[in-house]
Amino acid sequence: MRTKVAIIGSGPAGLLLGALLHAAGIDNIIIEQRSRDYVLSRIRAGVLEQGTVDILRRLGVSARLDHEGLPHQGFSIGYANRSLRIDLADLTNGSKVMVYGQTEVTRDLMDARLQAGLTTLYEAENTTLHDFDSFKPSVSCQVAGKTITIDCDVIAGCDGFHGVSRASVPVNAINQFERVYPFGWLGIMADVPPCSHELIYASHPRGFALCSMRSTTRSRYYLQVKADENIAEWPDHRFWDELRRRLDPVAADNVVPGPSIEKSVAPLRSFVAEPLQFGRLFLVGDAAHIVPPTGAKGLNLAASDAFYLSEALIEYYADRTPAALCRYSARALDRIWKAERFSWSMTTLLHRFDHYSAFEQKMQDAEFAFLESSRTARQAMAENYIGLPL
Ligand code: RFL
Ligand code: PHB
């Protein structure tokens, strides 16, 4: 097989890149190790920045998003039994975010890809990258026992944190920066109305809690737990009890418990790989970086990376100058590091750290007090939350 761009991974990064390239007439093939149903069963992000929504609209895949997505003009921070609203619209000249599940974004992009007749190889095994340090790279894999080789101009590594793309780069060619947090998030999904019409990020001596949603009838809640927490020790009733304890009294009263339809623990990590280009291989999305979910930035960064790489490839195919390709890494990393900083600061502000001294705890208290008293501080938070310009 031959294509211009071989894309490894059909998460948001790979699917968006594929759609952006197709819209510009650049053919591409996606190689995905899992089945379509498996990819669609993963429950992850829920908050889309305006820039991400704009990309989906421009691609013509926003019909369901525009109908079912919930625009949010603000969120609340719970702290010491108080609630502080971050009025996104007021603090940013009317900007907002959209609550719409990553699963739905993935489904919309997969459906559009199918309708356009584009090739996606699902359940591909032993994906291997070849010769990306030359002008003739290729990707091989096995599908249903048959070996397939895809010759291409460029490989886009969109295969997430545990993928093969970053792992194929010689260790001395890549710098990796990492912080692993000493806790995880226990998340549940339940078909019950959310306890509040906006998201609540709650800091509490027992640990952080987040109230989110997927619709007016489906809630998504998270609790800070130990990184190695045993999920078997969290029957639903324990989750609901613990959630209520960490929320302000009004929100706690409004929690409607119900049977969970999904329950999982996610570790929290900050990670960046530099650079993002290795000859004809480009890293995109979680393959290149991880943010702790506190700032709701992971999916949105995957979208901005895909957008930057699509622009570089469009320019490259228009005038065949490799300079366009060379700009991708620095351009994407500039936005990535700012989102890393915001996600790290939100995580540091809102979580309980066992090793904190009394002094560090006081610093956290003071940070909240400052946020409460300073519109400028809230404005900085809002500017980052709605998403920095692309
Ligand atoms: P993905 O989604 O992991 O997709 C990578 C794809 O590559 C495939 N793959 C391979 N394919 C072929 N060959 C191989 N060798 C392969 N190895 C892997 C995988 O099967 C998969 O299909 O990465 P991508 O596309 O970069 O997208 C990143 C986002 O998924 C991620 O950043 C977000 O989900 C993070 N995140 C959030 N981001 C937000 O913007 N807003 C949020 O509200 C938000 N909440 C979250 C989150 C992540 C969470 N978890 C579970 C980590 C909440 C949680 C709990
Ligand atoms: C979610 O709804 O899954 C969600 C929302 C906001 C976050 C993280 C996750 O910061």
Side-chain angles (χ1 to χ4, degrees), residues 8-14 31-34 39 42-47 102 124 127 158-160 162-164 185 220 222 266 284-287 293 296-300 302:
I8 307 178
S10 78
I31 303 116
E32 165 61 51
Q33 71 174 358
R34 304 284 190 177
V39 174
R42 285 191 301 230
I43 293 173
R44 288 187 173 172
V47 178
Q102 176 170 332
T127 305
C158 305
D159 47 351
H162 300 287
V164 65
W185 279 16
R220 179 76 166 152
Y222 297 97
V284 185
D286 277 14
K297 290 284 159 261
L299 164 61
N300 294 298

Side-chain angles (χ1 to χ4, degrees), residues 235-249:
D236 289 354
H237 68 84
R238 181 176 174 206
F239 187 96
W240 296 116
D241 288 348
E242 184 62 30
L243 176 68
R244 284 200 195 92
R245 291 166 102 162
R246 297 186 189 186
L247 301 180
D248 69 85

Side-chain angles (χ1 to χ4, degrees), residues 335-388:
R335 194 170 192 277
I336 290 163
W337 276 115
K338 289 174 186 160
E340 288 284 346
R341 187 205 66 80
F342 177 64
S343 304
W344 159 83
S345 73
M346 285 285 277
T347 303
T348 308
L349 174 71
L350 292 163
H351 290 74
R352 286 290 136 168
F353 289 77
D354 286 343
H355 64 270
Y356 263 17
S357 64
F359 176 81
E360 285 162 315
Q361 193 51 57
K362 282 284 185 195
M363 288 296 98
Q364 217 180 35
D365 297 346
E367 189 84 36
F368 276 103
F370 181 54
L371 207 55
E372 225 168 6
S373 63
S374 163
R375 179 179 166 87
T376 315
R378 290 196 298 283
Q379 209 158 23
M381 180 179 272
E383 183 183 352
N384 280 281
Y385 195 84
I386 59 144
L388 297 177

Side-chain angles (χ1 to χ4, degrees), residues 43-48 99-102 185 188-189 199-201 208 210-214 219-222 292-297 346 385:
I43 293 173
R44 288 187 173 172
V47 178
L48 306 184
V99 169
Y100 188 69
Q102 176 170 332
W185 279 16
I188 69 164
M189 189 84 95
L199 270 62
I200 300 174
Y201 291 81
F208 168 76
L210 170 60
C211 308
S212 181
M213 67 195 73
R214 290 293 175 273
S219 301
R220 179 76 166 152
Y221 291 107
Y222 297 97
T294 328
K297 290 284 159 261
M346 285 285 277
Y385 195 84

